[in-house]
Amino acid sequence: MSRVRVAGFGVSLDGFGAGSEQSLTDPLGKRGKDLFQWYFHTRTFCSMVGQEGGSVGDIDDVFASRAMENFGAFILGRNMFGPVRGPWPDDSWKGWWGDNPPYHAPTFVLTHYEREPIVMEGGTTFYFVTGGIEEALDRAKKAAGTKDIKIGGGVSTVRQYLQAGLIDSLHIVSAPILLGTGEALFDGLDLRGLGYSVTDRKVSEYATHLTLERG
C-alpha cells in the first residue's frame, strides 16, 4: 500500500531543519550543510553525485539508501526547488541539481505561480502545483501508483503536511549540532496530539536516526 513519507530529514539539536538566509551559495541556509554530515560519507551519497567510495552497510548508509527507495513521486516546496521568489522571471531556473536531478520520478513543486512542467534527464519531471498541499498529494498519489510518496522538504512543506496529519512515516536525523537560528521544524506542532510516536531509534557516529509513525 502506498504511504506518504519523510525520509533522511536532518534536524539540529535545537530543532532547526534548515539554516537561515538561503542563497545560491547556501541552498540549505547558513550552516545547513552541517545537518547532513551523516549523509555525505555514505556510498549512497557518493554514488548519487558520481563519486566512488563511501561507507557501505553502516547505519548511515542503510538509512541513506532507504531515504530514496520505493518512491513513485516526490513533493517539494518552492524554496526546496530554488532560491527564486515571487513570480517566475523566466524559465531558466530548473532546480539545484543540474540536468539529471536525483528524483527520477514525477516531482510536484508547491508554488503560488503557474509554470509549465520541466522534463529533465533520468525520468524526473517537475510539475508546478498552485492548488495547495492536498492537490499536490492527490496528483502525487496518482503518479506514484503502488509506490510511496516522499515529502522532500523544505521545512515549511513538511510542517504543513504534518499539521494536516497527512504524513504516515517521518524519518528524522538528529545531528549533534546547534544552528542557533533557522527554520524550526516542530515549533508549535503537537506531534503526539496529531497521532505520531517514535517507533525506532538507531545511533551512529554522526547522528541519531529516529522514525516516527502515525497511528
Side-chain angles (χ1 to χ4, degrees):
M1 180 178 175
S2 180
R3 305 182 78 213
V4 181
R5 297 164 50 202
V6 172
F9 202 91
V11 180
S12 67
L13 288 178
D14 46 355
F16 297 106
S20 58
E21 300 178 44
Q22 182 196 47
S23 66
L24 283 172
T25 54
D26 290 304
L28 298 171
K30 299 293 186 183
R31 294 192 62 211
K33 280 188 176 180
D34 292 353
L35 297 171
F36 292 93
Q37 295 306 311
W38 70 274
Y39 183 49
F40 296 141
H41 73 93
T42 66
R43 171 70 64 86
T44 298
F45 173 77
C46 291
S47 297
M48 183 167 46
V49 298
Q51 299 175 357
E52 295 185 1
S55 64
V56 182
D58 62 5
I59 291 172
D60 292 327
D61 188 55
V62 167
F63 277 101
S65 178
R66 289 180 189 172
M68 293 300 288
E69 283 181 349
N70 196 44
F71 290 110
F74 294 80
I75 297 174
L76 308 178
R78 170 76 180 266
N79 294 0
M80 185 72 178
F81 179 71
V84 182
R85 304 292 186 263
W88 302 100
D90 51 47
D91 294 331
S92 60
W93 182 262
K94 298 180 180 180
W96 303 101
W97 309 277
D99 294 331
N100 190 354
Y103 302 106
H104 311 301
T107 301
F108 299 88
V109 180
L110 296 164
T111 176
H112 294 296
Y113 302 95
E114 293 184 357
R115 183 174 175 179
E116 291 299 310
I118 307 173
V119 180
M120 307 293 287
E121 295 177 10
T124 300
T125 298
F126 292 114
Y127 298 94
F128 299 89
V129 181
T130 58
I133 64 170
E134 292 190 3
E135 178 187 326
L137 184 56
D138 287 343
R139 293 178 61 179
K141 285 182 175 179
K142 291 175 183 176
T146 59
K147 292 187 175 182
D148 293 343
I149 299 98
K150 182 173 181 177
I151 309 300
V155 172
S156 175
T157 298
V158 173
R159 284 175 54 83
Q160 289 180 68
Y161 279 100
L162 282 172
Q163 185 66 67
L166 295 173
I167 292 173
D168 298 307
S169 175
L170 174 70
H171 163 229
I172 61 172
V173 188
S174 178
I177 63 167
L178 299 172
L179 285 185
T181 61
E183 297 183 50
L185 181 60
F186 299 123
D187 189 32
L189 291 179
D190 179 1
L191 293 182
R192 180 178 289 276
L194 291 168
Y196 294 96
S197 60
V198 177
T199 58
D200 188 48
R201 173 180 173 270
K202 297 286 191 301
V203 180
S204 77
E205 176 185 351
Y206 294 88
T208 300
H209 297 267
L210 298 162
T211 301
L212 287 70
E213 303 276 347
R214 186 167 183 265

